């Protein structure tokens, strides 16, 4: 059997552009996430920013899952994240419900919480 190097049609077609271009800036990344994820724009509201601070104060800036003090500045592992216990999936009632919110560390949120969501442990409540 002979070598097939250089004998395919690939060379004649040329290089095809990528179908999904990766965002190069944080602004592009945020815009792309807003298009894909329902309710993403709710995070930019004044109402959310006030509620987020209220939840952090209520929880004493302590991670409700690990007990770590939330004193870091993003992207530090101990930076504060206000997490939705039940995913809101764009539902404003669930999104702004203080009982559905908890203060957690970025490290916990980006590892354990994401693992739980990918495994389907958490449901939307809708």
């Amino acid at each position: 059997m002979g070598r097939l190097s250089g004998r395919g049609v690939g060379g004649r077609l040329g290089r095809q552009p990528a179908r999904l271009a990766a965002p190069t800036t944080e602004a592009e990344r945020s815009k792309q996430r807003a298009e894909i994820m329902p309710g993403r724009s709710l995070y930019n509201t004044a109402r959310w920013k006030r509620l987020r601070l209220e939840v952090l104060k209520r929880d004493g800036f302590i991670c409700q899952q690990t007990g770590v003090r939330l004193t870091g500045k993003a992207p530090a592992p101990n930076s504060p994240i206000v997490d939705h216990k039940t995913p809101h999936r764009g539902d404003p009632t669930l999104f702004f419900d203080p009982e559905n919110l908890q203060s957690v560390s970025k490290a916990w949120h980006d590892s354990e919480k994401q693992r739980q969501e990918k495994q389907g442990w958490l449901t939307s409540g809708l």
Side-chain angles (χ1 to χ4, degrees):
M1 193 175 228
R3 292 179 55 175
L4 297 176
S5 176
R7 296 187 184 264
V9 294
R12 288 184 232 145
L13 293 177
R15 178 147 170 82
Q16 298 296 315
R19 290 184 190 177
L20 298 175
T24 56
T25 66
E26 187 60 31
E28 288 176 3
R29 182 176 172 270
S30 291
K31 183 178 178 184
Q32 188 178 51
R33 289 179 74 195
E35 292 170 358
I36 295 169
M37 301 171 72
R40 189 77 193 148
S41 62
L42 295 172
Y43 289 101
N44 295 325
T45 63
R47 181 179 176 190
W48 166 253
K49 292 173 184 178
R50 281 191 308 271
L51 180 58
R52 179 184 181 278
L53 186 56
E54 288 174 20
V55 170
L56 289 168
K57 287 178 182 179
R58 176 195 73 193
D59 294 344
F61 283 84
I62 301 291
C63 177
Q64 300 302 293
Q65 297 297 319
T66 64
V68 170
R69 187 113 174 100
L70 304 174
T71 57
K73 184 175 179 180
N78 66 338
S79 60
I81 301 284
V82 174
D83 173 56
H84 291 87
K85 297 174 190 176
T86 301
H88 59 86
R89 307 279 190 251
D91 176 10
T93 304
L94 200 54
F95 184 89
F96 290 111
D97 179 8
E99 297 303 313
N100 188 38
L101 299 172
Q102 64 180 341
S103 301
V104 297
S105 68
K106 180 168 176 43
W108 183 86
H109 183 268
D110 291 356
S111 61
E112 182 62 24
K113 177 68 179 241
Q114 299 304 314
R115 185 178 65 79
Q116 290 175 5
E117 287 184 355
K118 286 178 184 173
Q119 289 180 346
W121 290 3
L122 305 172
T123 58
S124 68
L126 295 175

